Amino acid sequence: MPADRPDTVTPSPERSAAGTAVAVAVAHPNIALIKYWGKRDERLVLPWTDSLSMTLDIFPTTTSVRLAAGDGDDTVTLDGAPAEGEALRRVRAFLALVRDRSGIRRRAVVESANTAPTGAGLASSASGFAALALAAAGAYGLDLDATALSRLARRGSGSAARSVFGGFAVWHAGTATGTDESSYAAPVPVGEGLDPALVVAVVDAGPKAVSSRAAMRRTVDTSPLYRSWAASSRTDLVDLRAALARGDLEAVGEIAERNAFGMHAAMLAARPAVRYLSPATFTVLDGVLRLRREGTAAYATMDAGPNVKVLCRRADAGRVAAAVREAAAGARVHIAGPGPGARLLDEDR
Ligand code: DP6
């Protein structure tokens, strides 16, 4: 599968300093098959373990960053409404980082639009911060290659480091302490025959009770199962990469499923427990097991919410979607394939 590389952003400091630069970027969400769960450095967003994901071809986020006159507060609009609270704070903190690197003090006007249904549990922070990183780098005139862009996107939200790339991407946790040079994502080649799809079953579109940021902190700090999950995740990654390379969808699915269950087990053992899975989740999981018993390769993974993503062959995606709909009446079901990396739509509009 070709690994998409985002466009390199051409520096334009004079234009930016004059406050006329605009950059617009688009990025897609990704779903991890080997999960990122737990930071060893909160400020730099450095994880304890490597993770590996598939970028989707549905639900892109489009973000524009325009430099405005003056150095006051950034204006941020998300899906047509002014951003507030934690979302606004995170975007402003991210823009401050970009300003520090560019040396341009001007404030920004950010407009971001998701196409995923609200609360679809489709990692909008991954597509959102990947698109924001690319658009902000463009507007502030940072000249970044794909690795540097991934490193930058990571500071907004860890999983965004992977949405910089299309297809499959591994996020290297990195080895250094106190610096983030070695923590970035890179494309992963996969065997020709894989042809995967992810069937996304949205069983609950409501907002999560605990943010993934807070939940992963609590898991690392209090769960007696966290260390063993992290250790097994390292082995899972090696096994998954080998399975991807030989195009073995059954093995990819089995490894992804056990990695996700292990992450949720570690969360359930946290004090107090972090419980994202709901009865509706298990109804879909029963449907996935039935599919497997009937001979269809279908494997589940869940993130920081009750929704289920089912990995299967693209040729089976219609059947899997129908089975999921039957198992969980009321679930909204979407079919995704591997999607493209983040790209700049227009450098100067
Ligand atoms: C369960 O990337 O949203 O989806 O870095 O704190 O912003 P922050 O966390 P975030 O966590 C994603 C966690 C996950 C697993 C994954 O995507 O790897």
Side-chain angles (χ1 to χ4, degrees):
M1 186 173 306
D4 295 33
R5 291 184 76 81
D7 304 344
T8 297
V9 178
T10 310
S12 51
E14 298 82 5
R15 203 170 61 235
S16 300
T20 56
V22 181
V24 185
V26 61
H28 289 73
N30 70 75
I31 298 299
L33 303 180
I34 302 294
K35 303 297 184 187
Y36 148 53
W37 197 253
K39 297 177 183 65
R40 68 181 199 276
D41 184 319
E42 293 258 347
R43 187 182 66 85
L44 292 173
V45 192
L46 299 176
W48 279 112
T49 56
D50 296 352
S51 54
L52 195 153
S53 61
M54 184 176 106
T55 297
L56 307 186
D57 61 355
I58 58 173
F59 302 146
T61 298
T62 304
T63 300
S64 68
V65 175
R66 181 170 58 81
L67 301 197
D71 59 0
D73 285 342
D74 302 304
T75 308
V76 182
T77 307
L78 298 180
D79 291 327
E84 41 190 45
E86 182 62 7
L88 178 62
R89 192 199 61 74
R90 277 175 71 170
V91 172
R92 283 185 173 157
F94 186 82
L95 291 167
L97 193 68
V98 173
R99 270 193 288 273
D100 280 352
R101 291 187 190 180
S102 72
I104 296 169
R105 303 314 313 164
R106 293 195 177 276
R107 72 184 200 94
V109 177
V110 177
E111 285 179 27
S112 188
N114 286 307
T115 50
T118 310
L122 270 177
S124 58
S125 72
S127 54
F129 276 102
L132 179 64
L134 185 52
Y140 282 94
L142 300 181
D143 188 13
L144 304 180
D145 64 13
T147 300
L149 183 65
S150 174
R151 231 189 263 122
L152 176 63
R154 193 202 72 235
R155 294 292 296 272
S157 185
S159 51
R162 301 183 309 238
S163 272
V164 165
F165 297 96
F168 290 82
V170 60
W171 170 17
H172 303 293
T175 48
T177 46
T179 159
D180 69 345
E181 279 302 297
S182 55
S183 188
Y184 52 83
V188 171
V190 304
E192 278 299 311
L194 195 70
D195 207 19
L198 273 172
V199 173
V200 180
V202 181
V203 297
D204 180 355
K208 46 185 122 171
V210 190
S211 74
S212 49
R213 192 154 280 199
M216 69 174 82
R217 186 183 303 134
R218 192 194 300 169
T219 309
V220 172
D221 290 349
T222 71
S223 173
L225 301 190
Y226 181 71
R227 275 166 192 273
S228 42
W229 173 77
S232 64
S233 202
R234 293 186 180 100
T235 322
D236 285 347
L237 185 95
V238 173
D239 294 348
L240 188 95
R241 288 195 71 146
L244 283 172
R246 59 176 195 271
D248 184 345
L249 187 113
E250 279 84 355
V252 169
E254 272 172 27
I255 299 160
E257 197 174 271
R258 76 185 184 212
N259 189 267
F261 277 131
M263 176 184 75
H264 285 279
M267 287 188 214
L268 285 167
R271 296 161 190 191
V274 176
R275 187 172 67 90
Y276 284 123
L277 311 184
S278 72
T281 309
F282 286 93
T283 305
V284 176
L285 291 175
D286 284 345
V288 170
L289 265 188
R290 264 197 302 280
L291 275 164
R292 281 221 289 274
R293 272 193 222 112
E294 291 159 13
T296 302
Y299 303 88
T301 185
M302 291 77 63
D303 294 291
N307 303 318
V308 184
K309 295 91 182 183
V310 186
L311 180 74
C312 61
R313 293 196 168 80
R314 193 188 289 263
D316 292 334
R319 179 160 12 123
V320 170
V324 167
R325 279 194 194 97
E326 200 184 303
R332 280 183 290 124
V333 179
H334 310 269
I335 297 176
R343 70 195 167 89
L344 218 42
L345 286 187
D346 198 337
E347 216 175 287
D348 190 14
R349 294 203 301 201

